[in-house]
Amino acid sequence: MKILESVRGMAFMGSFDQARAFAAACAERTCGVLFWSLSQSNRAADLEVFRQALELLWETGPVDPATAAEIHRKMTDCPEFAERRAKTEVVTLSRIAARALLAGVAMLIDESPEGAVEPSSFAQDFASALGRRGDGQLSAGEDEAQDRDVATILSWDEASPERLRSLRAAAAERGRSCLAAAVSAYGSDSADPVEPRVTATLDRGDVSEAPPPEPAANRARTHARARARAENSVPPG
């Protein structure tokens, strides 16, 4: 298992809420392909279980461990966690994505920031597997996304809803790219064209319209300029 140095820092220095946001972003980037595969197989009930799991990861505030444990149980009953050999590469990708999401939900039960390591690893495996049939830069791009997410999240003083929406928007954008790559590489079983959208649901306007996360250095400069303008402003007289 490859562990990025930034992820080590998140696991051992970050708070649980920060690690949870990081795990949610890792899962968001992979879930588009998982949800597409489930839709292609007409598995609406399983799709709903995985969607509930992803939404639970992105919630703000404490999560009832019993609720997380029940969703975890429902997930493990799905075929993605069967031991039999995967029939197609799409199934392989879906299994990896499902494991990234399952590892995130397990964090909600254990409430330990060290649990961020497994979603990170599965997201890397997912990008590597998808990249073998398409864009060879997907793996490096996933590492960069994780490094960027860690830097952004560790700069937070709290995981506010606005910050989580921005983080999710960035993760969803990459998730759409991964879904588009999968559709291009493996095709669709449906006669209808596949339109890659926000990976959580088809109508998450609050996610798709959220601004991207501002790098920590840029935020610091923005705040400094705002303070300077405030200090130099002359009140009307």
Side-chain angles (χ1 to χ4, degrees):
M1 178 189 294
K2 181 179 77 171
I3 305 177
L4 300 175
E5 286 303 314
S6 61
V7 178
R8 290 182 191 274
M10 173 65 73
F12 295 108
M13 294 186 296
S15 68
F16 169 67
D17 284 343
Q18 288 173 326
R20 173 181 169 184
F22 173 78
C26 289
E28 184 81 39
R29 287 190 291 273
T30 69
C31 276
V33 174
L34 171 62
F35 294 169
W36 169 58
S37 175
L38 293 172
S39 297
Q40 294 284 293
S41 302
N42 296 314
R43 291 170 52 197
D46 290 343
L47 175 58
E48 181 59 25
V49 169
F50 285 111
R51 279 181 170 167
Q52 288 176 1
L54 185 59
E55 292 302 319
L56 192 67
L57 266 181
W58 281 112
E59 282 186 11
T60 57
V63 171
D64 179 12
T67 300
E70 177 62 15
I71 290 181
H72 189 279
R73 182 194 63 76
K74 290 180 179 179
M75 292 173 69
T76 55
D77 286 340
C78 295
E80 278 66 31
F81 301 99
E83 294 298 326
R84 60 180 178 271
R85 183 182 179 85
K87 294 181 180 180
T88 67
E89 291 176 276
V90 171
V91 172
T92 297
L93 287 170
S94 296
R95 287 184 175 183
I96 298 172
R99 282 163 171 74
L101 185 51
L102 186 74
V105 173
M107 278 185 63
L108 303 180
I109 302 170
D110 299 337
E111 297 186 341
S112 169
E114 294 181 15
V117 171
E118 283 199 353
S120 163
S121 179
F122 284 124
Q124 291 171 32
D125 291 345
F126 174 88
S128 178
L130 181 56
R132 284 196 288 269
R133 273 291 299 270
D135 185 353
Q137 298 300 311
L138 280 172
S139 183
E142 176 61 30
D143 289 358
E144 292 171 2
Q146 292 192 22
D147 286 340
R148 185 168 56 250
D149 284 351
V150 169
T152 297
I153 294 169
L154 290 182
S155 73
W156 294 349
D157 53 359
E158 65 174 358
S160 67
E162 293 77 15
R163 286 168 173 163
L164 288 174
R165 280 197 296 270
S166 292
L167 182 71
R168 188 172 192 176
E173 181 64 30
R174 182 167 174 82
R176 286 191 289 271
S177 297
C178 290
L179 176 54
V183 172
S184 175
Y186 305 113
S188 172
D189 295 335
S190 172
D192 298 326
V194 175
E195 181 182 354
R197 302 187 184 182
V198 175
T199 56
T201 64
L202 296 181
D203 57 356
R204 284 303 304 269
D206 61 326
V207 174
S208 61
E209 295 173 5
E214 185 180 6
N218 289 353
R219 279 198 302 275
R221 287 194 293 270
T222 299
H223 293 164
R225 286 195 296 268
R227 286 195 301 270
R229 285 196 299 269
E231 290 170 357
N232 294 331
S233 63
V234 178

